[in-house]
Each structure stands twice: as structure tokens, then as C-alpha cells.
């Protein structure tokens, strides 16, 4: 039978106590490290704002004002790939007046509405006033009588919207299309009209 000396027994006891203390200290540290590594990173406030959906657009054409053309539109997203909107245009150089209001349905193949390429169908009503001729009467009277008409329209457009900036609020819209006039023709009336779209606005 072996007999431990008092000094040897003390060293063994201290060594075992230190080993147990290190083991207990290392266990919670390992648990915390494991929990931190499996936790999903949280988005910053800027990232959350940038990825938030934009469901509405308000756009105007600032360039048309130079030529007395006033155009604006509103668009609301219905799903990832579709939206509906309203558009109006007013143009009145001299004695000619053109006023139209339309409803538009857009389809976004990329399913990132309202950002990116879209195909649109439109339907509305166009009011036109055109002068026939001008006259000067012997009694000093004069005038330029014209004809006015209200005709329904159907249209087709290819458009593209860019949502810019960190928060994707600033919007540029551009596109081309064509419009068909229906109903009864009047003097100098047209059956079709090419259309163009260039607008700036905000998405929210």
C-alpha cells in the first residue's frame, strides 16, 4: 500500500481543483461562441429601408412644360408583376387643345414591380378642339370656329422604370407606345398617334 505524503496530497488536490475550474469556465464560453455563430445577421436600418417594397409612384414630365405639355401619372402596385395607374395629358398650343385621361394596366415580367421593364395596355377618353378656319367679317367681327370631339382610345406601351438611390425613392420613367382613336371622326381628326413617355417622380 502506497502512502501519499502531505505535500503530494496537497499538490494533487490543487491540480484537480484548477482543472475543474478551467473546464467550467470554458463551457459557457464555448456555448456563447456557438450561439453567436448560428445567429442570423440583422439588417441595418439603411438595408431595411432599401429593401422595403415601393407600392406607389407619382411621376410628372418636367420637360414638357417648356412646350406647354402638362403630363402626370400615378401608379399603384397590385402584385409582384402587375400594377394599375392613371395618367392625364394637357396640350394647348394656340387654338388647338388636346386633353386626355387614361387608365393603365402594367405587367412586369421580372416580377419586381414597379421597377424595371413593363408592358402596358391603356384605355381612356381624348378631347380635341381644332380650328377650321379664321375669318374677318365686314362688320369688324372675326373668329376661328372649330370642331371639338370626345373619342375613346386604346393604347399599348413599352416602358421602363428606374428606382434610384439608397432608399429607391427617386424614379425615372421612359417608354414608347401608340394610341388608337375610336368613335366618330371629325374634321382633321386622326386615327392613330405615337406616344412617348419621359418622367421624373417619387416612389413610396
Amino acid at each position: 500500500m502506497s502512502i501519499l505524503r502531505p505535500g503530494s496530497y496537497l499538490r494533487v488536490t490543487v491540480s484537480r481543483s484548477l482543472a475543474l475550474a478551467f473546464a467550467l469556465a470554458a463551457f459557457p464560453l464555448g456555448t456563447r461562441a456557438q450561439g453567436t455563430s448560428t445567429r442570423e445577421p440583422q439588417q441595418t436600418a439603411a438595408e431595411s429601408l432599401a429593401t422595403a417594397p415601393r407600392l406607389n409612384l407619382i411621376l410628372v414630365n418636367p420637360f414638357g412644360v417648356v412646350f406647354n405639355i402638362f403630363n402626370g401619372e400615378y401608379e399603384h402596385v397590385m402584385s409582384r408583376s402587375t400594377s394599375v395607374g392613371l395618367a392625364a395629358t394637357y396640350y394647348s398650343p394656340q387654338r388647338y387643345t388636346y386633353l386626355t385621361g387614361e387608365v393603365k394596366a402594367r405587367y412586369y415580367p421580372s416580377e419586381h414591380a414597379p421597377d424595371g421593364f413593363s408592358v402596358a395596355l391603356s384605355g381612356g377618353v381624348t378631347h380635341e378642339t381644332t380650328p377650321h378656319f379664321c375669318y374677318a367679317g365686314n362688320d369688324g367681327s372675326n373668329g376661328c370656329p372649330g370642331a371639338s370631339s370626345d373619342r375613346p382610345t386604346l393604347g399599348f406601351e413599352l416602358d421602363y422604370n428606374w428606382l434610384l438611390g439608397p432608399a429607391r425613392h427617386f424614379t425615372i420613367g421612359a417608354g414608347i407606345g401608340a394610341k388608337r382613336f375610336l368613335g366618330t371622326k371629325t374634321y382633321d381628326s386622326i386615327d392613330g398617334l405615337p406616344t412617348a413617355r419621359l418622367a421624373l417622380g417619387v416612389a413610396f
Side-chain angles (χ1 to χ4, degrees):
M1 179 177 66
S2 62
I3 299 175
L4 293 176
R5 295 179 181 179
S8 300
Y9 176 76
L10 180 60
R11 286 194 298 271
V12 172
T13 303
V14 172
S15 300
R16 290 179 177 176
S17 299
L18 291 175
L20 180 60
F22 281 120
L24 293 176
F27 177 74
L29 289 175
T31 304
R32 287 196 297 269
Q34 183 179 3
T36 304
S37 62
T38 57
R39 184 180 301 171
E40 294 183 358
Q42 295 182 352
Q43 284 187 327
T44 64
E47 291 173 340
S48 299
L49 186 61
T51 57
R54 302 288 174 250
L55 301 180
N56 300 280
L57 290 180
I58 296 179
L59 301 171
V60 296
N61 181 2
F63 310 101
V65 177
V66 180
F67 306 99
N68 294 324
I69 302 174
F70 301 93
N71 173 261
E73 58 184 277
Y74 167 76
E75 182 177 350
H76 177 69
V77 175
M78 302 296 293
S79 69
R80 291 175 57 90
S81 60
T82 60
S83 72
V84 295
L86 301 173
T89 301
Y90 175 78
Y91 176 52
S92 184
Q94 297 181 355
R95 295 180 301 274
Y96 174 76
T97 300
Y98 175 89
L99 176 63
T100 182
E102 297 174 301
V103 177
K104 297 183 179 183
R106 298 184 186 276
Y107 172 69
Y108 291 82
S110 63
E111 297 188 353
H112 292 152
D115 191 10
F117 173 77
S118 67
V119 179
L121 296 176
S122 66
V125 176
T126 296
H127 173 81
E128 276 189 296
T129 299
T130 58
H132 282 299
F133 59 89
C134 294
Y135 70 90
N138 295 329
D139 57 356
S141 62
N142 58 74
C144 296
S148 62
S149 65
D150 296 290
R151 302 176 66 188
T153 61
L154 292 176
F156 176 81
E157 295 180 1
L158 300 176
D159 296 318
Y160 201 100
N161 289 334
W162 291 270
L163 273 60
L164 307 177
R168 303 192 316 125
H169 283 308
F170 183 74
T171 306
I172 299 176
I176 57 174
K179 181 186 301 184
R180 177 73 179 183
F181 292 87
L182 308 175
T184 304
K185 294 179 60 175
T186 59
Y187 181 79
D188 287 341
S189 292
I190 57 178
D191 292 326
L193 182 70
T195 61
R197 174 179 179 257
L198 180 59
L200 306 177
V202 60
F204 58 96

